[in-house]
Amino acid sequence: MDLLDQAADIIIKGKFNIALTGAGISVESGIPDFRSKGGLWTRYDPEEYATIEAFRRYPERVWEMIKEMDELLEKAEPNKAHIGLAELERMGLLHGIITQNVDNLHQKAGSKNVIEYHGTSRTLSCIWCGKRYKKEEKKGEYPPKCECGKILKPDIVFFGEPIPADAMSRSFEMAARADTLLVIGTSAVVAPANTIPSIAKRNGAKVIEINKERTWLTDSITDVFLQGSAGEIVDELVKRIKNKIRAE
Ligand code: APR
């Protein structure tokens, strides 16, 4: 039995399967990840562009990077990996997705139970007066300004900002309850998101990792490592699961 069949059997048997996804799941939708060759952090120093301090000090400059990201997000469509996870949810074989991404592609693909661990790019807030806007209200305005005159910040979690409390608690609960965790397209180097695999593992979950490269999880936490592109692997995994259920 090959690794894909092993993974398919684990998912079919699982009573509470969840997924943790990172930027790698959206690369095939045209959004570069952060740490691979050509990734965002190889072109913008996160210390200069992605900390809340950097945003407070020079928001215009940070918006140069966000504008580039925004233009990619506008054009991006869900790929076979997002679509496959939404299908598993419809089949009752995936109970939730904890995503580190802010690209909204899981929701666009039809996934319902999505926890946005690093916030969302769909809304903007004024860190000075607290007013919140929908992204559409400020479409094409760079940098977008609050009515108080200050520059708005997207509601994505910058380094140095806390994880939204409800995302943190819901993710912890799901990880503690999971008997299968799919970890897809993440280098798992950023805390506290990268504690989720250990929480699930400690509670007896089987961990299936899908990544084009090995990560620190692969030889420590991962039970089944499916190496390659997320789109192809998730698509093939869902096909195997459907064939096995039909054959039952
Ligand atoms: N298929 C599968 N895996 C892929 C693909 C692909 N097509 N493309 C890239 N990957 C893998 C890379 O090998 C890498 O292990 O996805 C992972 C992406 O890792 P990162 O670029 O570090 O992205 P991520 O893990 O999501 O970063 C976490 O860091 O900068 C912060 O807030 C940001 O949410 C982000 C967090």
Side-chain angles (χ1 to χ4, degrees):
M1 175 194 294
D2 74 1
L3 292 176
L4 269 160
D5 278 330
Q6 270 181 51
D9 287 344
I10 292 169
I11 290 167
I12 292 168
K13 263 205 286 291
K15 297 278 166 290
F16 194 82
N17 304 329
I18 66 171
L20 169 69
T21 64
I25 199 171
S26 298
V27 166
E28 291 154 76
S29 297
I31 303 172
D33 65 11
F34 294 95
R35 295 172 181 85
S36 293
K37 223 169 33 327
L40 201 67
W41 297 156
T42 61
R43 289 179 287 118
Y44 291 96
D45 175 357
E47 282 303 313
E48 301 284 306
Y49 284 89
T51 64
I52 187 64
E53 287 328 301
F55 186 83
R56 282 188 200 286
R57 260 206 311 275
Y58 27 81
E60 294 86 346
R61 189 160 158 219
V62 172
W63 265 101
E64 283 164 23
M65 175 198 71
I66 303 171
K67 183 169 186 290
E68 182 185 311
M69 284 277 283
D70 259 3
E71 281 154 3
L72 290 173
L73 295 192
E74 287 296 311
K75 291 186 295 221
E77 287 303 322
N79 64 55
K80 291 186 292 186
H82 302 103
I83 293 163
L85 293 185
E87 177 66 4
L88 287 180
E89 186 183 54
R90 275 192 292 277
M91 293 167 72
L93 291 173
L94 188 69
H95 297 89
I97 297 173
I98 303 163
T99 187
Q100 300 171 85
N101 304 337
V102 296
D103 54 34
N104 205 39
L105 291 181
H106 286 301
Q107 294 91 330
K108 271 189 180 171
S111 290
K112 298 277 176 278
N113 191 11
V114 179
I115 298 175
E116 293 178 306
Y117 203 79
H118 287 159
T120 174
S121 57
R122 289 190 306 275
T123 50
L124 307 163
S125 292
C126 179
I127 56 176
W128 283 275
C129 81
K131 194 153 174 29
R132 175 162 290 180
Y133 296 81
K134 282 202 178 56
K135 193 170 144 186
E136 296 71 37
E137 294 176 67
K138 297 288 174 182
K139 194 162 174 58
E141 186 184 331
Y142 286 106
K145 289 237 170 86
C146 179
E147 59 196 44
C148 77
K150 294 281 192 179
I151 292 177
L152 292 167
K153 173 187 160 299
D155 287 336
I156 54 182
V157 177
F158 278 53
F159 288 112
E161 284 192 295
I163 301 301
D166 65 310
M168 179 77 113
S169 57
R170 283 175 62 209
S171 303
F172 184 86
E173 265 160 50
M174 274 183 21
R177 220 180 122 193
D179 48 19
T180 311
L181 172 69
L182 281 159
V183 182
I184 307 175
T186 183
S187 59
V189 295
V190 170
N194 68 352
T195 60
I196 288 166
S198 317
I199 296 166
K201 186 75 181 184
R202 218 182 15 252
N203 290 284
K206 282 251 184 280
V207 178
I208 299 166
E209 183 182 10
I210 298 172
N211 197 312
K212 69 176 170 53
E213 287 157 359
R214 303 179 80 82
T215 67
W216 69 268
L217 297 169
T218 313
D219 298 322
S220 57
I221 289 188
T222 299
D223 294 295
V224 179
F225 178 52
L226 303 173
Q227 183 156 17
S229 95
E232 275 155 46
I233 291 176
V234 173
D235 192 48
E236 180 57 27
L237 189 53
V238 174
K239 284 195 181 106
R240 302 273 180 111
I241 289 170
K242 286 184 170 175
N243 291 341
K244 283 171 177 282
I245 292 174
R246 256 197 295 277
E248 269 170 7

